[in-house]
Amino acid sequence: MRLRLLPALLLLGSCTLGPDYERPEMTLPDTHRGSEISPQEAAELAELEWWTVFGDPVLEELITTALRENRDLLIATARIEEARARARVARGERYPVIGIDGEALRELDSGDESSADTFTLTATAAWDTDLWGRLRRADEAARARLLEAIEIRRGVILSLVGDVSRAYFELRDLDRRLAVTLGTVSTRRDALEIAILRFEGGLTSQLEVRQAETELAAAEALAPVLALLRAEKENEISLLLGRFPGKILRGKDLEEQVIPPEVPPGLPSELLQRRPDVRAAEQQLIAANAEVGIAVANLYPQLVLSGFGGSESEELGSLLSSGTGIWELVANLTAPIWQGGRLRAGVEASRARFEQAVLAYEESILQACGEVSNGLVSVRASQESLESTLRLELAARQYLELANLQYANGVVAYLDVLDAQRQLFSAELDLSEETRNRLISVVDLYLALGGGWQAAETVADLQPPPTPDTR
């Protein structure tokens, strides 16, 4: 009679407790704040290998090396393998456990000192019928954790490409500023020699010599500082490449880098598909939702079917040929009656974790939209600042030419020449920094858009791990 209940109980195995996942509704703005491009005009540049738009093959090679050798990325890849193995473990829990048992027993009779041998060979099996979907929800949560690990790795790729690009442009900026400084040192040494000759010839006072010496010392003091910063930046890039500190190859000069005229941001909703951090947050949410189902299923009975079948014989040689057949089938139904509220508290805790995951997912979307808006504003502001600095550098250069001419003709004092030199020196340094800032603003915007991480894996010849087998 009890066995007749098994089909009905097993039919319940199609039941899965807990809520099925639904993406939380969140009203997104129609466009990004700071965007002047309509959705129809927004080409999908964020899906391209955006680091190639700068036209520097050395930068591309550095990024390729980093994607192949960076230790953080290798760690993220190893974590995917761990998550994949855990997903296989969770999936394996849904299937029967089958084994073989063998036993050899000798019993001694102390009365007549006789013995009896018994040999047994059986096949064993046990299967959790998963009446309420507890194991299916665990499988669902493990698969979500695997996909989360994949998205985290993609996020590492995105950050790594951005870090290498930023550091490379900062290195080229330091190269440029050091070159400007050394050129200024050379110019001011010549000016000092001229000031000394004019003083010795009685044409000027010693004041001009001291002024020239002061300006030369200021430029000379800056050079070693920039050299130190440049060495530290090379070491930083070496670490990103997974190498020991060393020299870094250079490609195009800072001013030769190609700056894209516009970076279409696309629609805010596209961040849900492009940003690895948003996608990872959603997988966390999916896992938390499945864990609610696990906690709810723990409140209900569990049915485990187990049994064995085999042969028993007094002779080892006849165990398989003429042994006595033995078998047993057990249906073990267990149900929680009272556990001091532990199981219901577990349900409440899982639901609280789910609510936290919902808020974290929504926060990741807000953060993404904020970063895109900041990136758009930064790109526009950096372009305006660069254009102003270009005009300033040109004006300072013309000012110095005019000051030198008028000083030679005795119209202005040497102090005016020194002032013009200082302004040109400062303008040249500012121009280098603003060019760097403009390039980095483009990098930051692409990162905010979540662009290029798919292409990055192709560049590094690193294909994303396949999704787990759900058959």
Side-chain angles (χ1 to χ4, degrees):
M1 182 65 179
R2 284 177 292 182
L3 292 178
R4 294 177 183 175
L5 295 176
L6 284 178
L9 290 172
L10 294 178
L11 184 61
L12 292 175
S14 61
C15 175
T16 304
L17 297 179
D20 292 330
Y21 173 73
E22 293 183 4
R23 177 181 288 176
E25 292 185 4
M26 191 172 184
T27 303
L28 297 175
D30 294 331
T31 59
H32 294 287
R33 182 185 182 190
S35 173
E36 297 179 353
I37 300 177
S38 67
Q40 293 77 19
E41 297 172 329
E44 296 298 326
L45 288 183
E47 299 298 339
L48 302 178
E49 299 174 9
W50 52 264
W51 50 91
T52 64
V53 304
F54 301 109
D56 193 329
V58 172
L59 173 60
E60 296 175 30
E61 179 61 28
L62 291 175
I63 289 174
T64 300
T65 301
L67 292 173
R68 187 174 57 246
E69 303 293 341
N70 180 265
R71 296 304 187 268
D72 288 336
L73 182 54
L74 294 176
I75 291 172
T77 303
R79 285 175 177 162
I80 288 179
E81 296 305 318
E82 178 186 358
R84 178 182 285 112
R86 291 183 182 275
R88 289 173 180 166
V89 170
R91 186 143 189 89
E93 295 288 343
R94 298 176 54 185
Y95 296 98
V97 177
I98 300 174
I100 296 177
D101 238 349
E103 183 180 61
L105 176 64
R106 170 167 291 181
E107 294 180 338
L108 298 177
D109 190 331
S110 59
D112 56 7
E113 297 184 354
S114 62
S115 64
D117 295 333
T118 303
F119 299 93
T120 305
L121 180 63
T122 59
T124 63
W127 176 46
D128 188 331
T129 57
D130 194 23
L131 293 179
W132 314 107
R134 176 177 57 87
L135 298 181
R136 287 190 292 279
R137 289 300 190 193
D139 182 22
E140 181 183 337
R143 285 187 286 115
R145 295 299 183 191
L146 171 58
L147 295 176
E148 177 193 353
I150 292 174
E151 296 303 334
I152 289 175
R153 175 177 175 269
R154 288 170 173 166
V156 172
I157 288 175
L158 186 62
S159 297
L160 179 60
V161 172
D163 289 343
V164 173
S165 300
R166 280 196 212 93
Y168 180 74
F169 291 139
E170 289 168 352
L171 177 63
R172 298 306 283 140
D173 168 46
L174 290 168
D175 287 338
R176 178 60 183 164
R177 284 194 283 163
L178 182 56
V180 168
T181 301
L182 294 177
T184 300
V185 168
S186 178
T187 300
R188 289 182 179 179
R189 280 177 180 162
D190 294 341
L192 176 59
E193 291 178 1
I194 294 174
I196 293 174
L197 291 175
R198 289 172 62 85
F199 169 68
E200 291 175 348
L203 299 177
T204 60
S205 67
Q206 192 177 20
L207 178 62
E208 289 190 3
V209 175
R210 298 294 173 246
Q211 289 173 334
E213 288 176 341
T214 301
E215 295 300 319
L216 173 59
E220 288 178 333
L222 182 59
V225 174
L226 293 173
L228 172 61
L229 293 174
R230 185 173 69 170
E232 291 176 344
K233 189 60 63 175
E234 286 185 315
N235 292 343
E236 177 186 334
I237 295 176
S238 296
L239 180 60
L240 291 172
L241 301 183
R243 298 175 177 174
F244 290 106
K247 293 289 294 183
I248 298 298
L249 292 177
R250 268 63 159 185
K252 291 185 176 181
D253 291 334
L254 200 63
E255 62 274 12
E256 294 176 337
Q257 304 289 332
V258 178
I259 301 179
E262 193 62 79
V263 183
L267 300 174
S269 60
E270 292 169 350
L271 294 179
L272 305 184
Q273 286 76 42
R274 280 206 299 249
R275 290 263 305 210
D277 57 337
V278 175
R279 291 160 63 103
E282 183 172 18
Q283 293 304 323
Q284 291 178 351
L285 181 57
I286 293 172
N289 180 78
E291 288 165 357
V292 172
I294 296 172
V296 173
N298 285 334
L299 298 173
Y300 292 85
Q302 298 179 19
L303 176 63
V304 177
L305 301 179
S306 61
F308 66 86
S311 176
E312 183 178 84
S313 174
E314 295 180 354
E315 298 291 338
L316 181 60
S318 61
L319 180 63
L320 299 178
S321 58
S322 59
T324 302
I326 57 175
W327 66 275
E328 181 180 81
L329 177 63
V330 178
N332 184 18
L333 184 66
T334 60
I337 300 300
W338 185 80
Q339 297 192 15
R342 179 176 63 87
L343 296 180
R344 292 199 177 277
V347 173
E348 294 174 3
S350 65
R351 286 174 176 163
R353 287 192 296 270
F354 174 74
E355 292 300 323
Q356 295 172 43
V358 171
L359 295 174
Y361 173 67
E362 293 174 346
E363 177 66 20
S364 69
I365 296 175
L366 293 173
Q367 182 73 21
C369 291
E371 289 179 1
V372 171
S373 180
N374 291 341
L376 290 167
V377 174
S378 177
V379 165
R380 187 171 298 112
S382 65
Q383 178 62 32
E384 294 174 356
S385 181
L386 177 59
E387 292 172 355
S388 298
T389 307
L390 281 168
R391 293 193 297 270
L392 174 62
E393 192 269 345
L394 177 60
R397 190 173 300 280
Q398 293 173 343
Y399 173 33
L400 178 58
E401 292 175 356
L402 183 60
N404 283 326
L405 179 62
Q406 291 187 346
Y407 175 70
N409 293 324
V411 177
V412 297
Y414 186 61
L415 189 60
D416 294 309
V417 176
L418 294 178
D419 180 65
Q421 289 177 347
R422 282 193 298 268
Q423 291 201 34
L424 177 58
F425 182 39
S426 177
E428 288 179 322
L429 295 178
D430 289 344
L431 179 58
S432 180
E433 292 183 23
E434 291 303 329
T435 305
R436 176 204 66 192
N437 292 341
R438 171 65 173 138
L439 292 167
I440 290 178
S441 72
V442 174
V443 171
D444 290 342
L445 178 56
Y446 272 118
L447 294 178
L449 292 172
W453 54 262
Q454 290 175 323
E457 292 182 310
T458 302
V459 169
D461 196 23
L462 291 170
Q463 296 301 323
T467 55
D469 184 6
T470 57
R471 292 176 296 175

